[in-house]
């Protein structure tokens, strides 16, 4: 009952999509030059041969698909990756290999989805994590294109909400050929909601390569900073920068030549953070303005897109944000892969398993405020052996949890065989 109602509602709203998208573009949430892609009009020609379509919501989901992109290309596919955010488009344009390309996902209205499918004609559809778009799933299923939900997750809270509409969610999940869940708990919840074929394959994010860094830029930063103690506060959110600056002031009493690098989650906040640092009485430089750190710089604001891999390599001590202000935490896997001791607040509900493993191995440490952050950094800076052991434990922990991409590929292998039989 709900599917026809949803389809009719989204169809009736489609004529207003232009106004909706332009308003979002005014707020920086859409790429004005590529709005047609959101209405299913392609920005590129379809390459000849087999095409796999992979979809993730934003940055994290898109990056988690990268190990599958490489493996699908090795199997002879061209790979189309869609996401819905400007930031994810910019980062994926930098990270996708030859043989893969990015487009914005069409809005979930029937005419846009059909237009998208008419052009791209995918042979396989993989959707990541908790992405459940009814028109998208129904249209792909109607064309007999295999659908796999990869890195699938379903929180207890979402599970309770979906149980209020059991027929609706069951009708959608029954159209997905296979659900490959991040954990046994996710798998159990998906089965209860009506997914017919579910396996726990693990988390693809453990298989993503560490973010790249331009060697020349890295050498320039090393030369500018010199042999100073450096720590990075990465992917910070509003309120956390003030705590990091306070921690810097505490820590600088013991390490007067300390450099703190602040890399906010949203680079547009760079001016705000630089002003805050200066109002706190600290000498700050801002990367987006072309200001290199010098011997007098106490705080370096790393407010550029796609350079986290560069900053992660500057230090073996990384604070990962969105964890002190109670918003669920950011992903610590990338700095852990590069061999960094991880510091984080208590609020890591978005990545419970990985933080628990890192904490248990001694590769990560919980801090509850600026004082604890400064004290933990002082211990690590004061004992290079302890810092090295924590960094090694961090890297080894995430390495031990890898392998999901190979399990996913084995699970979807039968669909490749079916394509060969059918002549695709």
């Amino acid at each position: 009952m709900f599917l026809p109602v949803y389809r009719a509602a989204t169809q009736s709203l489609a004529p207003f999509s232009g106004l909706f998208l332009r308003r979002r573009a005014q707020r920086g949430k859409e790429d004005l030059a590529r709005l047609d892609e959101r209405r299913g009009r392609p920005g590129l020609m379809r390459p000849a041969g087999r095409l796999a379509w992979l979809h993730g919501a934003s940055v994290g989901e898109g990056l988690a698909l990268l190990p599958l992109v490489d493996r699908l290309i090795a199997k002879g596919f061209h790979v189309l990756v869609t996401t819905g955010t400007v930031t994810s488009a910019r980062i994926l344009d930098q990270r996708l290999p030859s043989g893969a390309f990015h487009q914005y996902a069409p809005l979930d209205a029937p005419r846009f989805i059909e237009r998208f499918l008419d052009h791209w004609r995918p042979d396989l559809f993989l959707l990541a994590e908790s992405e459940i778009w009814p028109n998208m799933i129904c249209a792909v299923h109607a064309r007999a294109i295999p659908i796999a939900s990869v890195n699938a997750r379903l929180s207890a809270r979402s599970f309770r909400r979906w149980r209020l509409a059991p027929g609706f969610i069951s009708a959608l999940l029954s159209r997905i050929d296979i659900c490959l869940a991040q954990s046994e708990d996710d798998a159990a919840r998906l089965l209860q909601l009506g997914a017919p074929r579910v396996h726990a394959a693990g988390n693809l994010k453990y298989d993503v390569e560490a973010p790249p860094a331009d060697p020349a830029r890295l050498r320039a930063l090393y030369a500018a900073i010199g042999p100073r103690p450096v720590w990075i506060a990465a992917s910070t959110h509003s309120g956390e920068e003030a705590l990091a600056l306070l921690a810097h002031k505490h820590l600088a009493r013991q390490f007067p030549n300390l450099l703190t690098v602040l890399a906010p989650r949203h680079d547009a906040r760079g001016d705000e953070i630089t002003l805050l640092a200066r109002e706190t009485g600290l000498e700050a430089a801002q990367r987006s303005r072309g200001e290199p750190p010098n011997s007098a710089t106490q705080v370096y604001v790393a407010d550029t897109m796609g350079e986290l891999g560069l900053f992660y390599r500057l230090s073996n001590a990384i604070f990962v944000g969105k964890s002190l202000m109670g918003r669920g935490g950011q992903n610590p896997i990338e700095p852990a892969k590069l061999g960094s001791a991880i510091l984080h607040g208590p609020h890591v509900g978005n990545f419970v398993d990985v933080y628990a493993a890192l904490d248990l191995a001694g590769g990560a440490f919980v801090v509850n405020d600026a004082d604890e952050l400064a004290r933990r950094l002082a211990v690590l800076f004061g004992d290079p052996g302890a810092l090295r052991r924590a960094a090694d434990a961090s890297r080894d922990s995430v390495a031990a949890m890898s392998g999901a991409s190979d399990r996913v590929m084995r699970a979807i292998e039968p669909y490749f065989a079916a394509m060969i039989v059918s002549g695709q």
Side-chain angles (χ1 to χ4, degrees):
M1 179 179 70
F2 289 111
L3 280 173
V5 171
Y6 177 87
R7 181 179 177 85
T10 51
Q11 185 78 333
S12 66
L13 290 172
F16 303 99
S17 62
L19 177 62
F20 169 72
L21 290 169
R22 285 192 295 273
R23 286 184 174 175
R24 281 177 54 85
Q26 289 170 358
R27 301 197 304 272
K29 294 182 178 294
E30 297 286 347
D31 185 339
L32 192 59
R34 295 174 62 181
L35 291 186
D36 274 353
E37 291 175 31
R38 298 290 265 155
R39 291 188 285 258
R41 296 189 178 96
L44 299 168
M45 295 294 293
R46 186 200 189 280
R50 292 193 298 173
L51 178 73
W53 172 25
L54 281 59
H55 173 70
S58 188
V59 177
E61 297 86 353
L63 290 177
L65 291 168
L66 288 178
L68 297 182
V69 171
D70 293 330
R71 286 160 173 78
L72 286 164
I73 290 171
K75 291 282 186 180
F77 285 88
H78 298 282
V79 179
L80 163 65
V81 180
T82 60
T83 59
T85 67
V86 173
T87 302
S88 62
R90 292 174 183 167
I91 291 176
L92 285 168
D93 281 342
Q94 296 171 358
R95 299 280 296 269
L96 285 174
S98 176
F101 48 93
H102 175 270
Q103 294 276 276
Y104 283 105
L107 298 175
D108 197 45
R111 69 173 71 173
F112 302 154
I113 298 294
E114 296 296 342
R115 183 185 292 156
F116 177 92
L117 292 173
D118 286 344
H119 175 80
W120 291 110
R121 305 186 313 279
D123 300 293
L124 176 69
F125 179 39
L126 309 183
L127 68 165
E129 300 206 13
S130 54
E131 287 290 273
I132 300 177
W133 292 106
N135 289 323
M136 184 183 288
I137 291 170
C138 290
V140 174
H141 176 76
R143 296 184 184 220
I145 299 166
I147 304 174
S149 177
V150 299
N151 226 33
R153 64 183 176 90
L154 189 71
S155 69
R157 182 180 179 185
S158 295
F159 174 71
R160 288 192 295 270
R161 286 203 301 263
W162 279 120
R163 291 198 72 175
L164 299 176
F168 185 54
I169 187 61
S170 177
L172 292 175
L173 292 177
S174 68
R175 289 168 163 83
I176 297 175
D177 293 274
I178 188 167
C179 289
L180 300 165
Q182 291 185 19
S183 71
E184 294 289 352
D185 288 342
D186 292 312
R189 287 190 281 263
L190 287 163
L191 277 170
Q192 288 183 63
L193 289 179
R197 287 166 293 281
V198 183
H199 303 285
N203 194 332
L204 290 170
K205 291 178 180 178
Y206 293 116
D207 290 357
V208 178
E209 293 293 326
D214 180 88
R217 293 180 184 179
L218 186 58
R219 285 194 300 270
L221 275 177
Y222 277 137
I225 293 169
R228 303 171 60 182
V230 182
W231 72 286
I232 319 296
S235 300
T236 54
H237 287 243
S238 181
E240 291 181 321
E241 295 87 12
L243 295 174
L245 294 171
L246 184 57
H248 174 100
K249 297 189 85 168
H250 291 331
L251 194 58
R253 297 169 190 160
Q254 186 175 350
F255 301 94
N257 63 338
L258 175 72
L259 178 65
T260 292
V261 178
L262 296 181
R265 177 67 171 175
H266 302 292
D267 56 287
R269 297 182 56 238
D271 290 347
E272 164 200 338
I273 295 165
T274 303
L275 178 61
L276 177 64
R278 290 169 179 163
E279 289 177 341
T280 308
L282 298 171
E283 186 70 29
Q286 190 172 350
R287 185 162 182 82
S288 66
R289 295 183 179 274
E291 301 168 354
N294 57 41
S295 59
T297 305
Q298 296 167 294
V299 176
Y300 191 47
V301 180
D303 58 338
T304 49
M305 177 70 67
E307 287 196 312
L308 258 184
L310 185 69
F311 302 116
Y312 283 153
R313 287 170 170 83
L314 296 178
S315 175
N316 294 122
I318 310 287
F319 168 78
V320 181
K322 204 180 178 182
S323 61
L324 273 173
M325 305 309 293
R327 300 192 185 113
Q330 294 289 170
N331 186 351
I333 296 172
E334 288 188 340
K337 276 183 173 286
L338 289 168
S340 293
I342 306 297
L343 298 98
H344 62 90
H347 308 294
V348 293
N350 293 340
F351 300 94
V352 171
D353 293 342
V354 61
Y355 278 108
L358 288 169
D359 291 346
L360 182 63
F365 307 93
V366 182
V367 295
N368 292 288
D369 52 34
D371 287 343
E372 287 189 15
L373 178 57
R375 286 199 297 271
R376 175 56 65 180
L377 285 167
V379 170
L380 294 173
F381 286 150
D383 185 347
L387 177 56
R388 185 172 57 254
R389 288 191 295 275
D392 289 345
S394 175
R395 182 177 53 246
D396 293 346
S397 291
V398 296
M401 292 183 279
S402 64
S405 54
D406 289 333
R407 290 188 286 273
V408 168
M409 291 300 292
R410 286 195 294 271
I412 63 177
E413 187 75 36
Y415 302 104
F416 303 157
M419 290 174 198
I420 293 170
V421 170
S422 63
Q424 289 179 284

